[in-house]
Amino acid sequence: MTEPQHGDRRHSPGPSLYPIGFAAGVACILVGLIINPMVIVPIGVVIAVVCGFLWARDATKEFRGEPVAAIEPERGGPRESTDAPAIPPDRGEAAMPEPDPGERFPRNRFLEGATLGFGAVIGGLVTVPAVGFMIVPAFKGQGYPKVDLGPLDNFTPGQWFVTKFFMHPEAGEVSHRTAYIRNNGQLNGKPSFTIISNRCAHLGCPVQPNGPVQDNQKKDINLPKGQRITMIPAIPAGGYGCPCHGGQYDVEGNRVSGPPVRALDRYDFAIVDGHLILGTPYSVSHVKGEGKDALIYKYKLTGPGEHVDGWEQILYPLQPPH
Ligand code: FES
């Protein structure tokens, strides 16, 4: 029996399907995060973990002393004459020197390990932040802050106001939002407000009141923590219109015509110490009635262009947690 010669040694793992399985598992996780985090993500995790484990086990066979399948040299092409035997790779001028048998970790093994390790570190540095930024925000529960819109007395009963405010005053103009607010008077002894978002339910353009906006009566209110509320009386007698694609809504925000698929979103509200506090936004399929008597068909906040009821809603992916 002859000992394997230096030139016969294989340092790279043989062909394997485990990396493909691992990549498929990761892809499954990413797709699952969008489509169905509760079902598809666990399946992807199982595939990635199993294939990753088998891949690592396969790749470290040689280091663990397990026998490695020998790879046959390529065949084909014109055959050399068998009269002159080929020079073995460990002979002749180009042959590598024999490793020192007493050397536990030959230099080529060290270089191979260092290259793989270095590649893994670089890959991790590039991949982990990108994946983190992609996935973490969906689970961070960013929520919506409570926004103080000022004293109730500023909202004349029955009057609509174009109301501008900062969702996050510390973030400045990027957090500027607009809502159409009407004080509906008292309902069962409590103040009633209609607060409609100006985000079009088609693709999110800012809808405008179909009626006069009384800019000359504009009022700016400065509140603590950098909050500034701008209130402009308006008479949206014709409802609201979207300048982007012509979507039209009635005064309660119901879709009347055009491409929007549902009514305008609304905000919850609370009254705290005589101030109107803006709460969480929500989506609305439609509204029956008006003002404080309105019956609102309310749903969890959904992206523009998405149905919230009817069979069409199943065409859209589940919303990530928010
Ligand atoms: S974004 Fe409003 S109609 Fe298209």
Side-chain angles (χ1 to χ4, degrees):
M1 189 173 152
T2 54
E3 287 294 316
Q5 298 298 304
H6 171 68
D8 295 335
R9 186 180 288 149
R10 301 279 169 185
H11 293 301
S12 51
S16 166
L17 288 177
Y18 296 134
I20 297 173
F22 179 73
V26 172
C28 192
I29 293 171
L30 296 177
V31 170
L33 286 171
I34 298 168
I35 295 178
N36 193 331
M38 305 306 292
V39 177
I40 297 181
V41 169
I43 294 173
V45 169
V46 170
I47 295 173
V49 168
V50 170
C51 290
F53 173 74
L54 292 174
W55 182 17
R57 197 162 154 266
D58 213 28
T60 55
K61 254 184 189 172
E62 189 182 352
F63 292 98
R64 290 184 287 109
E66 282 187 27
V68 182
I71 300 172
E72 288 293 318
E74 255 184 51
R75 299 189 190 284
R79 292 201 161 217
E80 299 269 333
S81 160
T82 51
D83 294 347
I87 299 172
D90 58 335
R91 304 273 189 280
E93 283 180 15
M96 291 277 287
E98 279 292 330
D100 178 357
E103 199 179 359
R104 196 162 159 232
F105 294 108
R107 192 171 42 182
N108 55 351
R109 301 279 292 275
F110 168 75
L111 287 174
E112 180 184 304
T115 307
L116 285 174
F118 195 56
V121 169
I122 301 265
L125 287 176
V126 170
T127 312
V128 170
V131 172
F133 281 124
M134 187 171 65
I135 295 172
V136 171
F139 294 92
K140 233 179 107 202
Q142 297 173 68
Y144 291 88
K146 307 276 180 232
V147 179
D148 184 349
L149 295 177
L152 292 189
D153 298 343
N154 289 334
F155 296 90
T156 312
Q159 170 74 62
W160 283 99
F161 288 93
V162 179
T163 309
K164 302 180 182 184
F165 55 92
F166 293 112
M167 193 62 101
H168 300 278
E170 68 283 2
E173 286 298 323
V174 291
S175 74
H176 225 161
R177 300 286 184 275
T178 299
Y180 300 117
I181 302 182
R182 180 185 55 201
N183 181 347
N184 298 321
Q186 297 282 313
L187 176 65
N188 299 329
K190 292 183 183 161
S192 163
F193 281 83
T194 298
I195 307 180
I196 296 179
S197 164
N198 76 334
R199 183 182 74 153
C200 182
H202 177 220
L203 293 179
C205 284
V207 300
Q208 311 294 323
N210 291 333
V213 175
Q214 295 157 325
D215 275 312
N216 56 347
Q217 295 178 38
K218 177 167 115 178
K219 204 168 15 170
D220 283 324
I221 303 156
N222 290 310
L223 294 170
K225 298 182 187 167
Q227 182 62 272
R228 191 180 71 244
I229 311 294
T230 302
M231 297 175 63
I232 311 171
I235 308 173
Y240 306 92
C242 181
C244 289
H245 313 106
Q248 295 294 319
Y249 303 87
D250 69 15
V251 75
E252 290 295 326
N254 281 310
R255 174 197 174 270
V256 174
S257 66
V261 297
R262 59 173 201 258
L264 291 169
D265 296 337
R266 292 189 174 211
Y267 289 90
D268 277 327
F269 70 92
I271 308 299
V272 178
D273 296 334
H275 281 222
L276 176 62
I277 307 295
L278 194 77
T280 308
Y282 58 89
S283 289
V284 175
S285 62
H286 60 289
V287 178
K288 285 184 183 167
E290 277 196 20
K292 60 187 172 192
D293 299 322
L295 187 58
I296 301 161
Y297 291 77
K298 177 176 177 180
Y299 296 83
K300 187 176 176 186
L301 186 68
T302 305
E306 297 188 16
H307 290 263
V308 289
D309 63 349
W311 66 268
E312 296 101 327
Q313 65 182 298
I314 63 171
L315 299 176
Y316 300 95
L318 295 181
Q319 296 291 307
H322 62 275

